[in-house]
DNA sequence: CGTGAAATTGAGCTCCCTCAATCTGAGTGG
DNA sequence: CCACTCAGATTGAGGGAGCTCAATTTCACG
């Protein structure tokens, strides 16, 4: 039943929006490959980057609050994803207790994640935040079976900065420092993690 | 059915924990009166304040992630609350589509709230954060029918600071500045908001 | 190649943290 | 009733981390 409700194999080119703030919550999404940026735009026109979506991760859960999406999600590289229309999902929630628990679990995880991230970022300095960001990314890639030590950043320094509450110069300087200390190899957006332990230590004890 | 599942009229004295990190998620809670502090303790022993719970607000939703609570919640003043045991809630989710939607809505709201807060706090300076905190508190009190311009802070300056990622001195200085500018009257923990508009403006355009 | 955006690096300055002293106020016991 | 006490709050001075502004340098693209 669930299988029949999922629309698979959808594609999106770089830069195009998967959802927009204010749109009715018509579906949940799960990214299959590629990555995306979740962000919103303030009244003053500044972009606030909520986070980045990696393969295997769900998008659109905040929509449960009001039935509308509250942020923009757009592809940072060519994206393939699944779409689960709410019209099909809702009847299944009645019949499948396992699916119900899974959705609640996903929401709970997203909530816990968001709160943890906020507290961690609020307490540590700039280099710690960048280290934390890299360690987090590394861990999420590993969970998906991708290399946790060799990866390519699909987002710009400015995106990272806006996500961490820093300026792009500070992010760049932090990366340079890590490179100088021998913890990373950085070549533009390609990252090699040489000392994962150093990053997690600086990042404030990520699991 | 739902009424029968809710345990009402429970009490808790100041300083006592409503839940502890790691406890199995046995129930959801709704605060009726009083207030509480949500926090966790890092490996180094530092306290991270996730937020504060006011009357009418639910606690324990993060537990859906793993079936265990992930933070401590303790009373800042004598607390009365309702308790909804998970054992009774789960069967009801099968039968009552309205309740199901309500739980999903609560989770979605908590998630959206948390993400919004993180982005807002990351981008603004110390005084802006304190202003934002007061404006947020004011709005939540108003939603509960309490005065949005005259209230008593149940938390210490240190708690506010740890919540906002500042030091207690900086919080104190921000409050003093607001007092000097004529936006607030501050006497220890009693706050009178004289110019709500100024606070919301500084706080980064809260609704 | 050439072109423009993205990234790096530098210099000066501001804001917030740190350390420290003082002040206030609630609760206690004489 | 009041002095005492002690935690919480305020205020001040000094220093450092990160922001701003600006100049190169590198990279991705046609």
């Amino acid at each position: 039943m669930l299988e029949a409700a999922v629309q698979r194999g959808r594609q999106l080119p770089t830069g195009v929006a998967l959802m927009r703030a204010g749109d009715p919550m018509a579906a949940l999404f799960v990214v299959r490959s590629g990555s995306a940026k979740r962000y919103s735009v303030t009244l003053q026109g500044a972009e606030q980057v909520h986070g980045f979506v990696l393969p295997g991760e769900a998008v659109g859960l905040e929509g449960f609050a009001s039935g509308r999406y509250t942020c923009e999600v757009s592809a940072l590289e060519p994206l393939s994803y699944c779409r689960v229309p709410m019209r099909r999902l809702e009847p299944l929630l009645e019949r499948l207790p396992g699916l119900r628990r899974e959705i609640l679990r996903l929401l709970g995880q997203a909530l816990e994640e968001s709160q943890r991230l906020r507290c961690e970022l609020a307490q540590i300095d700039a280099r710690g935040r960048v280290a934390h960001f890299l360690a987090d990314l590394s861990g999420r890639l590993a969970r998906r079976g991708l290399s946790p030590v060799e990866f390519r950043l699909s987002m710009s320094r400015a995106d990272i900065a806006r996500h961490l509450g820093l300026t792009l110069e500070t992010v760049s300087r932090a990366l340079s420092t890590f490179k100088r200390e021998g913890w990373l190899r950085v070549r533009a957006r390609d990252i090699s993690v040489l000392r994962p332990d150093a990053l997690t230590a600086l990042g404030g004890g990520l699991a």
Side-chain angles (χ1 to χ4, degrees), chain A:
Chain A
M1 283 193 290
L2 179 58
E3 292 297 313
V6 179
Q7 302 169 347
R8 299 177 180 281
R10 294 184 154 238
Q11 309 278 334
L12 210 64
T14 300
V16 176
L18 187 59
M19 62 176 64
R20 308 200 69 96
D23 284 355
M25 183 197 192
L28 288 180
F29 301 92
V30 179
V31 170
R32 304 297 296 185
S33 71
S35 60
K37 172 171 72 162
R38 305 192 309 109
Y39 66 100
S40 56
V41 179
T42 65
L43 298 172
Q44 296 83 28
E47 191 174 293
Q48 299 183 316
V49 177
H50 294 228
F52 304 99
V53 191
L54 300 185
E57 299 179 343
V59 194
L61 294 168
E62 336 79 50
F64 280 115
S66 64
R68 291 182 174 277
Y69 301 123
T70 54
C71 64
E72 323 265 324
V73 177
S74 68
L76 288 170
E77 42 190 344
L79 208 66
S80 73
Y81 64 96
C82 300
R83 185 174 185 275
V84 188
M86 294 304 292
R87 289 223 178 280
R88 304 218 185 148
L89 183 65
E90 283 187 332
L92 292 181
L93 288 178
E94 179 112 30
R95 300 190 204 169
L96 305 174
L99 178 62
R100 206 157 58 219
R101 266 190 292 271
E102 181 63 13
I103 294 286
L104 287 174
R105 199 182 59 79
L106 274 177
L107 269 161
Q109 266 185 352
L111 177 59
E112 184 196 330
E113 181 75 12
S114 170
Q115 293 183 344
R116 201 173 44 75
L117 193 59
R118 181 161 55 81
C119 284
E120 286 169 355
L121 291 186
Q123 307 293 343
I124 58 185
D125 65 4
R127 287 172 46 198
R129 291 187 205 186
V130 176
H132 182 282
F133 169 74
L134 290 173
D136 176 63
L137 210 56
S138 176
R140 286 156 68 193
L141 290 171
R143 214 185 298 164
R144 243 349 237 193
L146 302 166
S147 169
V149 294
E150 299 261 344
F151 48 89
R152 162 166 261 268
L153 299 174
S154 57
M155 68 294 289
S156 70
R157 303 287 192 268
D159 285 336
I160 299 173
R162 281 189 292 260
H163 177 227
L164 299 177
L166 301 170
T167 59
L168 65 93
E169 292 95 330
T170 300
V171 171
S172 181
R173 275 186 250 269
L175 290 174
S176 297
T177 304
F178 297 158
K179 188 163 66 173
R180 202 174 317 121
E181 309 265 338
W183 302 354
L184 289 184
R185 199 169 307 145
V186 183
R187 193 177 164 280
R189 295 192 175 184
D190 292 307
I191 303 284
S192 304
V193 181
L194 304 175
R195 295 194 44 196
D197 53 322
L199 286 185
T200 53
L202 235 190
L206 192 66

